[in-house]
Amino acid sequence: MKNVLARRATAEFIGTSLLVMAVVGSGVMASRLSPNDVGLQLLQNSLATGAALLALILALQPVSASFNPVVTFVERALGMIDTRTAAVLASAQVLGGLAGTVAANLMFGLDAVSFAARDRSGPGLWLAEVIATAGLLMVVFGTIRSGRADRVAFAVGGYIAAAYWFTSSTSFANPAVTIARTITDTFSGIAPASAPGFILAQLAGGVLGFALVRFLYPVPSASADAAADRKVLT
């Protein structure tokens, strides 16, 4: 079991790291290639992030592919994993996100750590994070609990690419990614002082999303149960 948990933690670390590299790196690239067009920068950033999520979930889902502490905590609340596993995976996600930001900064010739100056705070942005996170959880667990786990990658990639545009916060929807983005003073950055508000909103969205999943999908499909059983044993 220790080997299984180590594999899962490694997958979460690598996956979250590469996801954050996609978010931060594409933001830097977009700002350099399209310096006078913020809308085009956001389009480039959202497409790169959605595509990266699709690829990473497809590749790592057989091991572990949550990349998000809120998703992991809801897995715990639904009884899919135990408390120790949830804590280890969430820690791996946060550390992986920070490593991904450092790597992205260095790839583009920036300081390894440069605290963001971009303020992202206010009721509208916090509401957007509640909605973005709750929606993400419905997409993830609605797909899984209806027996279509093989389609999660496409559902999540599409949802996040779209949520960049329909939420005022550009849909962080992930505490690990939020923390990671505090240490890059680039297009994707968020000021450290703004991060707690985002994280609290994401946790509130997690509670809302969990309640919606339990209400809409009270009983997982037989195929979802079988897939969960296989995941525990591998």
Side-chain angles (χ1 to χ4, degrees):
M1 291 299 292
K2 288 183 178 179
N3 186 51
V4 171
L5 184 54
R7 286 172 52 220
R8 296 190 67 181
T10 300
E12 291 292 342
F13 179 92
I14 293 172
T16 311
S17 180
L18 288 170
L19 170 60
V20 171
M21 286 185 217
V23 174
V24 174
S26 66
V28 176
M29 182 68 81
S31 63
R32 291 182 179 180
L33 294 177
S34 310
N36 300 314
D37 192 334
V38 178
L40 184 55
Q41 292 172 12
L42 185 61
L43 177 62
Q44 293 161 340
N45 195 206
S46 63
L47 290 177
T49 302
L53 266 172
L54 171 60
L56 290 168
I57 295 173
L58 282 175
L60 294 172
Q61 190 176 20
V63 184
S64 188
S66 298
F67 314 145
N68 186 332
V70 174
V71 174
T72 297
F73 294 154
V74 171
E75 287 180 320
R76 174 63 190 94
L78 292 172
M80 299 169 68
I81 57 176
D82 60 31
T83 301
R84 177 171 176 267
T85 298
V88 170
L89 298 186
S91 298
Q93 291 155 2
V94 172
L95 293 174
L98 291 168
T101 301
V102 170
N105 285 340
L106 292 174
M107 282 194 289
F108 285 92
L110 305 172
D111 292 338
V113 174
S114 179
F115 290 106
R118 184 170 182 177
D119 177 66
R120 298 179 190 259
S121 60
L125 297 180
W126 299 328
L127 175 61
E129 283 300 294
V130 172
I131 293 171
T133 307
L136 174 62
L137 293 173
M138 287 182 59
V139 168
V140 170
F141 292 101
T143 306
I144 292 173
R145 289 171 78 87
S146 59
R148 297 172 294 171
D150 58 326
R151 303 179 189 179
V152 169
F154 301 95
V156 172
Y159 174 80
I160 291 298
Y164 261 70
W165 291 89
F166 73 74
T167 63
S168 58
S169 63
T170 66
S171 184
F172 285 45
N174 186 330
V177 171
T178 301
I179 293 169
R181 289 169 68 167
T182 64
I183 61 171
T184 181
D185 193 19
T186 61
F187 179 82
S188 303
I190 176 173
S194 298
F198 264 51
I199 293 170
L200 287 174
Q202 291 155 6
L203 294 175
V207 173
L208 175 60
F210 170 73
L212 289 171
V213 169
R214 286 297 302 268
F215 178 72
L216 294 173
Y217 304 91
V219 180
S221 69
S223 57
D225 281 338
D229 289 342
R230 287 195 301 271
K231 193 167 187 179
V232 170
L233 294 173
T234 55

